[in-house]
Amino acid sequence: MNQSKNTELSKTPSKRIFYYDVLRALAIIGIVFCHVSVSYVSRDINSPNLYISVFFDCFRDFSIPIFVMLSGALLLGKKDTLIKFFKKRLSRLFIPFLFWVLVYIIFTSAMSHGFNLDSALKIVFGTAGTLGVHFWFVWMIIIAYVGIFIINKVMQLDMNINDFNKKFITILAILSVIYICLSHYYIINPYTPQLTYYLSFLAYIIIGYFLAKCDFLEKRIDGKYLIATTTLLFIGSYLWYIFCFVVPRSHLVHQFVRLSYFNLLILFMSANAFLLFKYLSKTKAFISMENNQLGNAFTTISNYSYGIYLIHYLVLYCIKINLIKFINFTQGSSLVWIPLLVLLTTAISLAILSILDKIPYLDKVTGKK
């Protein structure tokens, strides 16, 4: 095997990386924000309050890409056999998924006073308009695993090329950006068919691995400037997205308008958010946070992030149908109720998963890392 392959881009982390945990925790909270705020966006579509509800709703636009990029950062470069790779990943992915799909189907059947096969299948496959609308992500990850495994096998080939892995991933990252660029200008349509859409997320997987492992800028620019730059770029691009695109366009057509994940602006926001926490992870304040209460909270949420993703939509629905009996929160301020409902949904989801984690056999359905 060519020794030059042992480059920084081919190294696999030997221990938990705290900034990954922080990013994963913030990403799952961002997704909860999106699902909480969607009803407020519909309510405020012709109101100035749309700025507030859209600000929260669009957290999803960089949260999903960050989730996918973290998968790339963690799984690309692994030297597993086919059986080991899929047994390890799919068992952790499928067991919780199948359990919660069954719970969602039973709940939906009880609410509609009868089982309906078509409705059940729509929940399983994450069809829009069902309680299982968010389950599409699981199928996307499963399909993405196939791509990850193939890329890993190529990275293990003896190509007799200096720095092969580094060059290979760099080329794939460039091609991934080109693919998103082509989608941005509608030259290709990643949404058709569905399989193509799921496979398209490989672009974010490759970019995530590249951003996590490449330290080109860190070797040449002081960390504080990188932090300041990525902070300004992320905040600036997100505010431009909300105030100059989403809200004006939504007001114009009287319905919520957002960009595809395969858009240069979404890529730009997501990449800057990812890099910001990568650069922050080198600071003393960030390192010291790992062992304090805030750091423990991030780690806990990160550990249960997959479980929270699976359960939170049902938890949110139950909160809403019960809370409305006492408070008409649907007419309340989105600035108050969206964060409050996010807090309640996340806390209750975590509590349920923590309880299940202490019960034999049911601990397998929590999705805990």
Side-chain angles (χ1 to χ4, degrees):
M1 180 67 71
N2 193 334
Q3 294 298 316
S4 64
K5 289 185 183 179
N6 189 25
T7 63
E8 291 185 14
L9 275 171
S10 63
K11 292 179 181 177
T12 301
S14 59
K15 64 177 183 177
R16 198 175 189 99
I17 299 175
F18 180 56
Y19 89 86
Y20 287 2
D21 283 330
V22 175
L23 277 171
R24 191 181 294 108
L26 293 175
I28 188 59
I29 292 171
I31 290 168
V32 177
F33 261 104
C34 152
H35 290 146
V36 168
S37 60
V38 64
S39 56
Y40 289 92
V41 170
S42 300
R43 184 198 70 179
D44 297 335
I45 198 67
N46 293 313
S47 163
N49 290 328
L50 186 64
Y51 286 98
I52 298 171
S53 51
V54 162
F55 178 84
F56 291 130
D57 188 280
C58 287
F59 285 171
R60 95 175 96 187
D61 292 323
F62 57 84
S63 294
I64 289 291
I66 285 173
F67 252 132
V68 179
M69 287 194 288
L70 285 170
S71 295
L74 287 166
L75 298 180
L76 281 179
K78 296 282 186 182
K79 296 182 178 180
D80 292 333
T81 63
L82 178 66
I83 295 175
K84 183 179 179 182
F85 182 87
F86 284 100
K87 183 179 179 181
K88 185 190 300 183
R89 271 90 203 180
L90 292 183
S91 61
R92 182 185 168 269
L93 201 68
F94 251 126
I95 293 173
F97 173 61
L98 292 176
F99 175 83
W100 289 110
V101 158
L102 183 60
V103 170
Y104 275 69
I105 291 173
I106 292 172
F107 181 87
T108 303
S109 299
M111 293 293 291
S112 58
H113 306 291
F115 174 78
N116 182 282
L117 180 59
D118 183 60
S119 176
L121 289 175
K122 286 180 178 179
I123 289 173
V124 171
F125 291 106
T127 305
T130 69
L131 274 181
V133 61
H134 56 306
F135 288 152
W136 69 270
F137 183 84
V138 180
W139 296 107
M140 180 273 291
I141 288 294
I142 291 170
I143 291 170
Y145 279 171
V146 177
I148 290 172
F149 181 78
I150 293 171
I151 293 171
N152 284 346
K153 283 304 175 184
V154 174
M155 292 173 70
Q156 293 170 32
L157 295 176
D158 186 359
M159 303 295 288
N160 294 317
I161 300 174
N162 290 336
D163 294 329
F164 169 70
N165 285 350
K166 185 175 181 179
K167 292 175 181 176
F168 177 62
I169 289 297
T170 301
I171 291 170
L172 286 183
I174 292 170
L175 291 175
S176 297
V177 173
I178 292 173
Y179 178 83
I180 293 174
C181 183
L182 294 175
S183 301
H184 174 93
Y185 290 107
Y186 304 103
I187 296 172
I188 59 174
N189 182 7
Y191 285 88
T192 305
Q194 193 77 355
L195 179 62
T196 304
Y197 175 59
Y198 291 161
L199 284 171
S200 296
F201 280 94
L202 273 173
Y204 278 108
I205 284 172
I206 294 164
I207 291 168
Y209 181 76
F210 180 82
L211 293 178
K213 307 305 176 186
C214 181
D215 59 358
F216 176 81
L217 292 177
E218 294 167 89
K219 289 180 177 179
R220 291 162 175 79
I221 304 174
D222 189 278
K224 63 184 179 182
Y225 296 119
L226 292 173
I227 292 170
T229 301
T230 50
T231 300
L232 289 173
L233 290 176
F234 170 69
I235 294 175
S237 59
Y238 189 68
L239 292 179
W240 187 93
Y241 179 48
I242 300 301
F243 288 91
C244 298
F245 178 81
V246 178
V247 174
R249 189 69 61 86
S250 298
H251 276 156
L252 182 65
V253 299
H254 306 292
Q255 64 180 20
F256 182 47
V257 177
R258 52 179 288 271
L259 291 175
S260 157
Y261 294 121
F262 303 102
N263 183 279
L264 288 176
L265 179 58
I266 300 301
L267 170 62
F268 186 77
M269 285 194 297
S270 305
N272 274 290
F274 192 100
L275 288 173
L276 170 60
F277 283 92
K278 179 185 177 182
Y279 300 145
L280 281 172
S281 68
K282 307 295 195 310
T283 63
K284 291 182 179 179
F286 196 92
I287 293 170
S288 64
M289 183 178 70
E290 184 172 357
N291 296 314
N292 63 25
Q293 289 184 335
L294 181 59
N296 291 334
F298 278 127
T299 302
T300 300
I301 294 172
S302 173
N303 284 337
Y304 286 107
S305 59
Y306 181 51
I308 293 172
Y309 185 87
L310 294 175
I311 191 178
H312 81 276
Y313 209 86
L314 181 58
V315 170
L316 174 61
Y317 180 81
C318 291
I319 290 172
K320 285 183 174 181
I321 61 175
N322 285 284
L323 189 60
I324 196 67
K325 298 174 183 177
F326 307 99
I327 303 172
N328 190 6
F329 61 89
T330 59
Q331 300 302 315
S333 169
S334 53
L335 185 60
V336 174
W337 280 105
I338 291 176
L340 184 57
L341 287 170
V342 168
L343 180 62
L344 282 172
T345 302
T346 306
I348 293 172
S349 298
L350 266 177
I352 293 171
L353 294 170
S354 298
I355 293 169
L356 292 176
D357 195 39
K358 294 176 174 60
I359 302 173
Y361 300 108
L362 289 180
D363 58 340
K364 303 296 183 183
V365 307
T366 63
K368 185 179 179 182
K369 285 188 176 293

